[in-house]
Amino acid sequence: MNAADTNTLIDERDLSKLKWRCRRGLLENDLFIERFFQRHEGALTVFHAEGLRQLMDLSDNDLLDLMLARKEPADELDRPDVHAVLAMLRTPQ
């Protein structure tokens, strides 16, 4: 990922694909993700989208543990884009 990706907004088509990819089986996760998109969809960058995609590869329970800060990203998830998106997901209100 290059430096420009941190500032490049994703387009409507990519946003739509990302929203579809973020659909989860666990209601609690869906609530976090819905709130995330309500707050941030107009400002999501390629950087954020990649972090969110990485998180969506997790099981529902692992994802919820990260969003509730029961765990922190480790191994291949310990990356700036994932940390940035988690901070956005965890922010109340």
Side-chain angles (χ1 to χ4, degrees), residues 17-62:
K17 285 182 181 180
L18 190 59
K19 284 182 176 180
W20 180 257
R21 173 72 180 91
C22 289
R23 293 174 47 164
R24 305 303 294 194
L26 194 60
L27 176 62
E28 291 86 347
N29 286 342
D30 278 338
L31 294 174
F32 270 100
I33 293 165
E34 180 181 319
R35 183 180 68 191
F36 171 84
F37 280 116
Q38 286 174 346
R39 292 182 186 162
H40 304 291
E41 76 176 47
L44 290 179
T45 65
V46 173
F47 176 79
H48 296 124
E50 184 54 33
L52 197 52
R53 284 187 198 99
Q54 293 296 316
L55 289 169
M56 292 306 111
D57 286 340
L58 296 171
S59 72
D60 280 336
N61 291 329
D62 289 339

